[in-house]
Amino acid sequence: MATVRRRGRPRGETDSRERIISAAVDEFGEHGYDGATIRAIATRAGVDSALVHHYFGTKADLFAAAMGMPIRPDIAIPEILAGPRGEVGERIVRFVLEAFEQPEVRRRGVALMRAAVGSKLTTPVLAGFLSRELLGRIARGIDADDAPLRATLAASQIAGLLMARYVLKLAPIADTGIDDLVARIGPTVQRYLFD
């Protein structure tokens, strides 16, 4: 049975904003940025599309609110870099994979990756975030003239792993345990960063 929606702003306290964000994450994840529409998001959330615009303005604003980066490199990267230098590559790979094993992180992360790959609008949003929050923090922790390149090479390895495991679900990567992936990919990330 279809949900009956009222027009306009709801009266009293509601969970409409949270339902809209949840619906947006699902729509962006399934259809990418360009394929998701405000109308489809509103329908999925059981609200009028005017309410989506009321809370979030444009589709780009809704995307930014819905995607809120699923992991916190501002906290994790300094901790990872503070540990033994010879294990940094493995710690980075483990951190990202363990984060993505959490259902909500995976849901938002996959939606963000799909949307970024499929849209000229969202690609710069994700690239800017990665450059500023992830790569910049890693580069500042590496004592090398080419630290930005090293950090970008490491990130490319991680991005490829996440795409293969969680978006494309390529076997056997998608089915391999975290410890095995850390042991195989960690040394490559380590080499990019320090060798």
Side-chain angles (χ1 to χ4, degrees):
M1 183 168 149
T3 304
V4 177
R5 296 174 305 186
R6 289 176 7 119
R7 294 190 66 81
R9 187 175 180 184
R11 294 181 198 157
E13 293 293 318
T14 72
D15 64 347
S16 298
R17 191 174 198 289
E18 291 77 25
R19 285 186 293 131
I20 292 167
I21 289 204
S22 180
V25 169
D26 290 340
E27 284 292 316
F28 289 128
E30 291 173 19
H31 304 290
Y33 183 85
D34 292 331
T37 66
I38 294 291
R39 178 172 282 147
I41 291 166
T43 299
R44 187 177 280 224
V47 301
D48 188 87
S49 58
L51 188 61
V52 178
H53 289 291
H54 167 76
Y55 281 129
F56 300 100
T58 67
K59 181 174 159 181
D61 294 331
L62 174 57
F63 177 79
M67 289 303 107
M69 199 56 195
I71 56 177
R72 295 285 309 271
D74 59 323
I75 296 170
I77 295 302
E79 291 175 3
I80 289 169
L81 292 174
R85 185 177 177 134
E87 300 169 5
V88 169
E90 290 184 0
R91 284 198 307 275
I92 289 173
V93 175
R94 182 172 301 283
F95 165 74
V96 172
L97 288 175
E98 287 180 351
F100 267 74
E101 289 300 308
Q102 299 171 37
E104 185 60 22
V105 171
R106 182 171 51 248
R107 179 175 166 245
R108 287 178 183 252
V110 167
L112 182 60
M113 287 186 286
R114 284 186 176 147
V117 168
S119 171
K120 292 178 184 177
L121 179 62
T122 57
T123 300
V125 172
L126 180 59
F129 176 86
L130 291 175
S131 294
R132 185 176 58 256
E133 300 298 332
L134 182 64
L135 303 178
R137 291 176 193 282
I138 293 173
R140 287 189 295 276
I142 299 171
D143 184 23
D145 291 338
D146 61 348
L149 175 60
R150 290 173 176 271
T152 303
L153 289 169
S156 72
Q157 186 73 37
I158 300 296
L161 171 61
L162 293 176
M163 285 293 282
R165 183 173 174 90
Y166 298 106
V167 177
L168 301 174
K169 298 181 181 176
L170 292 177
I173 291 174
D175 304 318
T176 300
I178 289 177
D179 290 340
D180 194 9
L181 291 174
V182 167
R184 292 170 183 259
I185 297 168
T188 300
V189 172
Q190 183 75 17
R191 183 175 55 80
Y192 283 150
L193 293 175
F194 299 109
D195 294 345

